Amino acid sequence: MNYKKTITSRLCLKGLALVLATAVFSHAAATDTAHISSMSANLPMNTLVQKELYPQLDFLSQKLLAEKLQTTLAGYPAFNGKDKFLPGKIATGLAHLMLNPALDQQARAQAMKNFRISADMTVDLENHTWGIYYYLLSLYQIKQAGLLDQAVSPATLTQLKKQLDWRSFVNEADLKLINLPTNYYGVAFGVARLRMLLGWEDVSGSERLLTKLLEHYDAHSGEYGFSDETDGEGRFDRYSILLIAEICHRLLETGKEVRPDLKLKLRKAADIALNIANDKGDGFSFGRSIGAYGDTAILEILSASAALDILTPVERDYAYAYSTRVFAKFLNFWYDPQLHSVDLWGKGRKTDAYRGAHRVLGENFSLLHQLLTTNAIWRKLGYENSLPLPDLQAWADKTQPVFQLTWFARGEYDRALAIYRDQQHVFSLLLASGGASQHANSPYYPLPFSNDIIAGIPDSGFAHPQLIPKLTMEDGSQLLATAFIKNIQTSSAAKTHTVTYQQDGLTRMTGEVRPPQKDERVKLSSTYELAPGVISRTDNYTETGTAHIQQASLEFSTFSDAATQEGTHIRFSQGGVTEFTVEGLAQCTIKKVLGEAYFQTPGGPLKNHVTCSTQKLPSARSLRIKWTIRYQ
């Protein structure tokens, strides 16, 4: 099937303006790769979908049908047994092809045949949690279109009815998740609700799970509406902001009413999403599972907000513009046309280990599913042929707060997110904890993350702690100030915004996966100052007993290059960071790390690693360390 030819012929019916836009884009894609970004960011979202995303889905479908269980993509074997969601992700991709409104009758018939072949081929493969949900959603959508009997054989459908069940990851008696984080309650509800809509079970399971989901969300989101990913360990990240949108999407997809209190919580998530709006299409920059998924989280939040009419008309237009720029970034950055695949692992990029290249086929299908689902919502809202507003950056700079603190939780420890906008950069200062499994990893450190300026390293561990001083005590134990944050305060004067907080103990660095171990021999007061073109952090450490700090060090891994050094003052003539200065430590060294696997981030490779240290500190009750970053 010539998918691009089929789609283009149908798009001609949409009007001369759209035909001209798609024709120009097609030419640009073929002849001027450097110009694609600005071109695609200014085309209707639906044009990008029809001209670029559906053909990619068709390529994956044809490759899958030709190579079957021996399929390889971007050099990786797809069916390696490590992606436990893969059958469901494949089902969503092929369902999107089948249900594309631009298909003619012949193309749809072939797409149904392809889905049937694929379903028979993958029915015996492992398929867990999200994979179950994806598969059921595709079956429900196909059923709604009246095509289920043609798309799935009776024998395969009978087997799927047994396999695709929420009870495989939820204890039916007490509704406790089986070794899964809290966001899986939304998955479980979606599975049960879809099974009910397919006629596979009654309504009782989905209603019980919905009640459990909402009770659990209320309990773990507290008064501020953002969910702790753990059972009270204070792990807040993009999922904490995204989860309310996922819940609303599950309700919308399955015809359930969204309660007013959920809409209020979604509005809080939308406020954060709009606050980080930018022309580059960048999304969340902190916590686990970011990169492409940090960007697409914006799509889920803003599309749910638009669908539930909780944005103003002006906000909705700019939410669409921001979302279209996320699409453009996907096409121009995350997707590699030579590989016919998203590339989350090459070009010096790195993901969390669980989202490694072993999931290459599934990551293609799941990201395309998020993009196509988003487009379907905006099409339904009347944006099918709408050009995105060209002044997104100017609007965001004018209407969004330059500095804003959003609370996640307050109590024994404070958890919050401070967002600072400057010169088209968006900094996200995360003040939380990574909990047992993530507190050692730099994407959860209390840092002002911003693409191209300050980045965390997935699964970094404590080996090279990014921009947080490491203290070595006389007994050899090492301490890091990451988790025990209290008394967050903010103030603003002129163009400088200040964030202060204290920690009454530091994290003892161990090699074990366990909750942060508090060491109260040292306490800390920290101050961030954020001003145009410059960010500084000052740490004042105080010994609380007889134990003494023997050594101190500070490390900074940067995308910048071409460094010159004067003591502890380092200048870079290439890259976003132009200067890095350290006070309170004796000397600094610079090492080139481009090409080293450890020093890779979701967005690309770090180039230089700065280490500053004092090997023998004088006996004193206090220690002051300050770093300053200047950027352009």
Side-chain angles (χ1 to χ4, degrees), residues 185-439:
Y185 274 118
V187 182
F189 161 72
V191 169
R193 178 73 176 168
L194 288 165
R195 283 179 61 85
M196 185 276 293
L197 292 171
L198 285 164
W200 291 359
E201 66 177 69
D202 63 29
V203 73
S204 61
S206 62
E207 290 299 311
R208 289 179 64 214
L209 282 165
L210 178 59
T211 299
K212 182 72 172 178
L213 165 65
L214 297 179
E215 288 177 349
H216 192 87
Y217 185 80
D218 287 341
H220 285 76
S221 61
E223 63 179 301
Y224 300 105
F226 301 100
S227 181
D228 186 344
E229 266 233 279
T230 60
D231 192 11
E233 294 177 16
R235 191 174 92 192
F236 291 89
D237 52 27
R238 78 167 180 99
Y239 283 105
S240 305
I241 305 165
L242 172 62
L243 182 55
I244 184 61
E246 289 188 344
I247 292 171
C248 291
H249 277 297
R250 300 300 85 81
L251 295 170
L252 289 168
E253 288 164 352
T254 58
K256 290 285 287 184
E257 183 180 357
V258 178
R259 297 181 338 203
D261 63 308
L262 297 181
K263 293 181 183 180
L264 289 174
K265 291 175 179 177
L266 179 61
R267 176 67 222 199
K268 292 182 178 181
D271 286 340
I272 293 178
L274 292 174
N275 201 2
I276 64 175
N278 60 90
D279 249 346
K280 295 178 286 187
D282 291 340
F284 294 108
S285 56
F286 55 87
R288 69 185 177 95
S289 191
I290 50 172
Y293 286 92
D295 298 342
T296 59
I298 297 298
L299 301 180
E300 293 189 75
I301 293 168
L302 293 181
S303 61
S305 300
L308 289 169
D309 199 25
I310 64 170
L311 303 176
T312 68
V314 171
E315 286 176 332
R316 186 171 64 181
D317 287 343
Y318 283 103
Y320 170 74
Y322 183 18
S323 298
T324 303
R325 283 160 175 76
V326 172
F327 272 65
K329 181 182 176 183
F330 174 84
L331 289 170
N332 301 304
F333 186 80
W334 297 116
Y335 177 70
D336 188 328
Q338 294 184 329
L339 297 175
H340 282 285
S341 172
V342 296
D343 187 1
L344 311 182
W345 312 279
K347 304 181 181 71
R349 301 171 191 166
K350 181 191 289 187
T351 64
D352 303 87
Y354 72 89
R355 203 184 285 283
H358 59 273
R359 285 170 50 162
V360 59
L361 183 60
E363 297 309 312
N364 276 271
F365 277 122
S366 64
L367 285 166
L368 288 169
H369 168 67
Q370 290 189 19
L371 294 164
L372 293 172
T373 299
T374 295
N375 181 58
I377 292 171
W378 286 108
R379 285 180 60 248
K380 188 175 180 180
L381 293 171
Y383 287 79
E384 180 172 1
N385 299 326
S386 297
L387 294 169
L389 293 170
D391 61 338
L392 169 66
Q393 188 69 48
W395 174 82
D397 290 341
K398 181 179 180 180
T399 63
Q400 299 305 301
V402 172
F403 175 82
Q404 182 164 294
L405 183 80
T406 298
W407 286 102
F408 289 154
R410 302 180 82 171
E412 181 182 6
Y413 302 111
D414 286 350
R415 312 300 183 193
L417 174 69
I419 296 175
Y420 174 61
R421 300 180 60 89
D422 177 41
Q423 302 178 26
Q424 298 187 0
H425 296 292
V426 179
F427 293 89
S428 297
L429 173 54
L430 179 67
L431 301 171
S433 169
S437 63
Q438 292 285 346
H439 75 93

Side-chain angles (χ1 to χ4, degrees), residues 33 63 95 103 119 184 270 388 396 432 436 448 450 452 456 460 474 596 601 625:
T33 55
K63 188 173 182 62
L103 284 191
Y184 278 83
S450 181
D452 302 328
S460 67
E474 287 179 323
E596 293 189 25
T601 77
I625 298 174

Side-chain angles (χ1 to χ4, degrees), residues 422-423 425 427 452-454 531-536 556 558 560 569-572 574-581 583 626-632:
D422 177 41
Q423 302 178 26
H425 296 292
F427 293 89
D452 302 328
I453 305 295
I454 297 174
V534 58
I535 292 177
S536 68
F556 175 43
T558 178
S560 290
H569 184 186
I570 299 164
R571 291 182 174 88
F572 300 95
Q574 298 176 10
V577 173
T578 59
E579 295 183 41
F580 178 62
T581 305
E583 300 174 24
K626 179 180 181 179
W627 59 255
T628 302
I629 287 176
R630 297 186 181 274
Y631 59 89
Q632 61 183 8

Side-chain angles (χ1 to χ4, degrees), residues 79 81-92 115 118-119 122-139 156 159-169 180 184 187 191 200 362:
F79 294 96
K82 296 180 180 179
D83 187 345
K84 306 303 182 182
F85 310 151
L86 186 55
K89 292 178 179 180
I90 291 171
T92 58
F115 190 97
S118 173
T122 62
V123 70
D124 291 322
L125 301 180
E126 277 191 276
N127 189 33
H128 299 171
T129 59
W130 275 108
I132 294 172
Y133 167 76
Y134 286 138
Y135 214 132
L136 286 168
L137 180 62
S138 67
L139 294 177
T156 294
Q159 193 167 342
L160 290 173
K161 183 178 179 180
K162 296 177 182 178
Q163 294 173 345
L164 306 178
D165 198 324
W166 53 272
R167 298 166 186 85
S168 64
F169 59 98
L180 292 169
Y184 278 83
V187 182
V191 169
W200 291 359

